Amino acid sequence: MTATLFLQSDIENPYSNYKTMLQNNPVYWDETNKIWAIYSYEDCVSILKNPKAEIPAVNPNNEQKLNKHALNILTNLTRLSNGIQHEISKEIAILLFSKMKSVDINSIISQLIKDNLTENKIDWVNSVCKKLPVLVVLKSFGFDEKDCEFIANQIGSLVKIMLPQKTEEQVKSINKISEQIFSIVEKKLFQLNFYESLTSNFSETNSLSLDEIKTICVSNLIGLFIQSFDAGRGILSNSLLQILNKKTFSSRTEIEKSVIETLRFDPPIHNTRRIATEDISIGESLIRKNDSILVVLASANRDPKKFENESKFDIERITNAENLTFGIGGHMCLAKHFSIHLATEALWFLFNKFKTIAILENNIQHEPMINARLPKIIWISLQ
């Protein structure tokens, strides 16, 4: 049996594994890792929409000794919350999105390319993809240049807060950076009078204190930085590879369709986890209370029962937007449309600006992660 859990850096083509499992074991109990793996589109949707399948809770014992700022960020993120906590955090996150102002993406990417282009070559991942999404978010909230530079440079270390197991050195770095970024974001939201407008919305409907509301606000804006770093760079990286391979860059509309199809065909996020709070029946399988569940989104995105000619990159397939990369139901990622828009604008600028774009990498290496398939480096030439 092919491994259920593996590092994306260790496998050249995970989709052959997903295809085998989808055909033979679409709902599979992995005895070694004590986890259910769900591969089909229908069953993944069923789990994602099931209120009995919750986001695994953050470790309450804090054995790794995160400080209060890191814990606040981790425990108040919308994507990690369940029940009423999720609803409150989600409403706050929606309000945060409503405060974002339009920014000139072209000027940001243009400056990044200018700063990092050497002899017409640039590392697309580290020079652009790791910086552009978080800079767009920061500038859309009006953070000053000093804070933008600091957070953009430190976010790569802070995202390790999402790792289930962290080294002592990573925890030390996370604690230091989280305190600094928390303070910067808290001050900025105060300047925007965000707390004042939000408190009036919540004071009559729940028992949250002002400090609790502030903490949820700050945590979820930082969560947007974190999410933009990994998912954002993955969309930009994977979309560029597919567009260059298939030559689908003749218009902005074609690029947007290519981004959406990339999210189905080669998504940055391959799986997410849930835990059963009660028994759940999936077909002939019974997932017991407290069982762990791996929802293999990348497999569901290539389920032939949902997507015709699933192994073909086809930007005109009418069901492409129904991919599960951003989830579905109550926990669907709020940044879906923002991410698609950002990638479309950035790539359209790139193909308008340069006549010839070529990949200089023969073999793209990926980060050693289980849940995400993210290229480490993509060297390209720009002429």
Side-chain angles (χ1 to χ4, degrees):
M1 180 60 64
T2 307
T4 296
L5 299 176
F6 52 83
L7 294 177
Q8 294 291 339
S9 55
D10 293 343
I11 187 167
E12 183 177 350
N13 180 20
Y15 299 102
S16 61
N17 176 30
Y18 302 152
K19 183 176 182 179
T20 298
M21 297 303 289
L22 187 59
Q23 291 174 341
N24 301 326
N25 299 93
V27 179
Y28 175 68
W29 171 249
D30 181 344
E31 180 63 28
T32 301
N33 295 295
K34 305 298 181 184
I35 193 169
W36 287 95
I38 314 298
Y39 292 92
S40 75
Y41 186 94
E42 181 181 4
D43 292 334
C44 283
V45 169
S46 177
I47 291 296
L48 291 172
K49 287 187 173 183
N50 196 323
K52 300 176 185 177
E54 293 192 347
I55 303 288
V58 176
N59 192 324
N61 297 320
N62 192 27
E63 290 99 342
Q64 296 188 309
K65 299 181 180 178
L66 295 172
N67 66 15
K68 68 173 184 178
H69 297 93
L71 278 176
N72 278 335
I73 294 169
L74 199 56
T75 57
N76 285 288
L77 292 179
T78 303
R79 61 189 291 195
L80 298 181
S81 303
N82 295 295
I84 187 63
Q85 175 69 23
H86 172 72
E87 296 305 318
I88 294 170
S89 295
K90 183 177 179 180
E91 187 171 348
I92 289 175
I94 291 172
L95 288 170
L96 280 168
F97 268 103
S98 72
K99 295 293 183 181
M100 295 176 69
K101 298 185 182 300
S102 178
V103 297
D104 186 0
I105 295 174
N106 290 355
S107 66
I108 302 174
I109 186 175
S110 178
Q111 189 62 51
L112 289 173
I113 292 174
K114 180 181 178 181
D115 292 343
N116 294 279
L117 191 65
T118 304
E119 297 180 349
N120 296 321
K121 300 176 184 178
I122 192 170
D123 175 1
W124 176 247
V125 174
N126 290 288
S127 298
V128 177
C129 301
K130 286 185 177 181
K131 297 179 180 179
L132 179 64
V134 70
L135 284 174
V136 170
V137 175
L138 287 162
K139 290 180 181 295
S140 70
F141 281 96
F143 285 86
D144 62 35
E145 289 300 323
K146 180 181 177 181
D147 289 339
C148 286
E149 182 179 3
F150 175 78
I151 294 175
N153 288 335
Q154 299 297 328
I155 194 66
S157 297
L158 184 61
V159 296
K160 292 179 174 57
I161 196 174
M162 305 302 293
L163 295 175
Q165 297 297 326
K166 310 168 190 62
T167 66
E168 185 176 338
E169 191 61 33
Q170 286 172 338
V171 171
K172 182 179 178 180
S173 176
I174 289 167
N175 284 340
K176 179 181 178 181
I177 295 168
S178 62
E179 183 173 1
Q180 293 171 301
I181 294 181
F182 198 96
S183 176
I184 292 170
V185 174
E186 188 176 40
K187 179 180 178 181
K188 187 60 186 179
L189 289 180
F190 177 78
Q191 292 173 346
L192 294 173
N193 294 319
F194 188 77
Y195 305 129
E196 183 177 334
S197 60
L198 192 62
T199 304
S200 60
N201 292 347
F202 279 84
S203 59
E204 297 179 0
T205 58
N206 62 71
S207 58
L208 289 179
S209 68
L210 177 59
D211 285 343
E212 289 172 322
I213 292 175
K214 286 182 178 180
T215 298
I216 296 173
C217 293
V218 175
S219 299
N220 277 282
L221 184 48
I222 295 173
L224 185 54
F225 302 158
I226 292 171
Q227 188 172 352
S228 68
F229 180 80
D230 274 348
R233 70 152 159 149
I235 295 170
L236 285 165
S237 299
N238 295 1
S239 295
L240 178 68
L241 293 174
Q242 294 301 328
I243 289 170
L244 285 174
N245 184 36
K246 302 302 189 298
K247 300 187 178 354
T248 53
F249 48 76
S250 63
S251 68
R252 187 192 180 283
T253 298
E254 193 170 58
I255 285 179
E256 182 178 41
K257 289 181 178 180
S258 298
V259 170
I260 293 171
E261 170 64 335
T262 299
L263 287 169
R264 182 201 71 84
F265 184 80
D266 188 23
I269 306 302
H270 275 221
N271 56 68
T272 188
R273 301 198 186 208
R274 296 292 188 268
I275 190 164
T277 58
E278 297 180 30
D279 289 356
I280 300 173
S281 294
I282 296 289
E284 298 180 357
S285 300
L286 178 63
I287 300 175
R288 298 286 186 183
K289 180 179 179 180
N290 296 324
D291 280 354
S292 295
I293 308 168
L294 186 77
V295 186
V296 190
L297 307 170
S299 172
N301 286 347
R302 291 204 185 190
D303 188 336
K305 293 182 180 179
K306 177 64 179 180
F307 301 100
E308 186 177 357
N309 296 322
E310 77 288 348
S311 297
K312 179 183 178 182
F313 187 88
D314 179 6
I315 66 173
E316 300 299 340
R317 187 186 292 101
I318 61 174
T319 56
N320 286 342
E322 296 175 42
N323 68 76
L324 299 183
T325 299
F326 286 99
I328 197 170
H331 281 279
M332 185 179 73
C333 176
L334 297 175
K336 176 178 181 178
H337 300 295
F338 167 79
S339 300
I340 292 172
H341 171 73
L342 185 147
T344 300
E345 294 302 312
L347 292 166
W348 178 230
F349 168 83
L350 187 71
F351 285 102
N352 263 334
K353 177 75 172 178
F354 300 96
K355 293 182 179 179
T356 303
I357 303 170
I359 300 174
L360 303 176
E361 296 287 312
N362 293 322
N363 184 25
I364 302 298
Q365 301 296 314
H366 293 84
E367 299 285 0
M369 304 172 72
I370 292 176
N371 72 309
R373 189 165 177 83
L374 306 174
K376 279 186 174 182
I377 298 173
I378 303 175
W379 279 100
I380 59 175
S381 66
L382 302 174
Q383 303 286 343

